Amino acid sequence: MAEVAEKKSAVSDVGAWGMNVVSSVGLIMANKQLMSPSGYAFAFATTLTGFHFAVTAFVGFVSNASGYSASKHVPLWELLWFSIVANTSITGMNLSLMLNSVGFYQISKLSMIPVVCVMEWILHSKHYSREVKMAVVVVVIGVGVCTVTDVKVNAKGFICACVAVLSTSLQQITIGSLQKKYSISSFELLSKTAPVQAASLLLLGPFIDYYLNGKSIVNYNFTSGPIIFILLSCSLAVFCNISQYLCIGRFSATSFQVLGHMKTVCVLLLGWILFDSTLTVKNILGMILAVVGMVVYSWAVEAEKARQKAVMTKTSLTEEEIRLIKEGVETKPLKDVELGENKA
């Protein structure tokens, strides 16, 4: 039974990662067509994210109303705190991309892995084996080689990048903490946080987007093409949001960051196939190194779990032996050494 349960859990884990990779890559491709100048030039990223969370909130409401999922209580202040952190992450990422070069933006995203590791160590006293640390370094180097090109930075851009990295890392750690603290499923938590995020982003998003690109969403020409892609983007975002919460709840924020870079590799490959993006030898070598790092990371995590399981098993056996010894001492009749008789 235990083996069957383990196999089912492994299948569920793979399914969660698969959903996240497929929906995330699909979302990036849809947004690329929607937002690029050669596409529909919908240059309102923050407002679009508000649309994403509005649709996600609607799906959560329908799910709760139909009885598909239960609604558990999470304090309002926790939801507001999480929404502030999450919205700061979204705004900070957009500002970082606007103020910095693409190269520095990619470096800031890569820095999230060590930042998450340090924050989990500070907040939850989590430690990592040497193999896991080495695998993380390999992944960072591999993704860095295939994505980082020009690196230009300025004071404002650096501050925005720091805020974005810290808030994004804290957001991902908080998702796992809230699920454990309130024994709430990933979808239930998402249905709680999505309405707050949607309301705040739809309210502030148009102003943030206007500051970022000087364009007002009111003046955008909504034809059938961009509307279809907005609906497609929102649909994919629902699956992307659910799978993100699901993955972090099942694994950890660090694992989510490391294996999440598989999406970067997929985006580069699909960009080359669908959009005629340039793919150099450096890109290919970097992707190979990143994939190797991800495989090593997965192996290192599983090896660490096996070691912990072995230690727990050994500990439980020792305790059992101690209990049996104690019971034996209590039930075994005492023998008078001098007389050679048993005492009742």
Side-chain angles (χ1 to χ4, degrees), residues 279-300:
L279 199 63
T280 64
V281 175
K282 184 170 84 71
N283 296 142
I284 295 170
L285 291 175
M287 284 189 283
I288 292 171
L289 187 60
V291 171
V292 169
M294 291 171 202
V295 172
V296 173
Y297 177 84
S298 301
W299 167 80

Side-chain angles (χ1 to χ4, degrees), residues 24 33 106 115 219 252 267 286 296 328 338:
S24 298
Q33 177 63 27
Q106 288 293 344
V115 169
N219 300 324
S252 68
V267 168
V296 173
E338 293 181 357

Side-chain angles (χ1 to χ4, degrees), residues 182-205:
Y182 296 104
S183 300
I184 189 170
S185 72
S186 55
F187 185 73
E188 289 167 1
L189 179 60
L190 182 59
S191 65
K192 292 284 186 184
T193 58
V196 184
Q197 284 189 258
S200 54
L201 286 172
L202 290 175
L203 182 65
L204 300 175

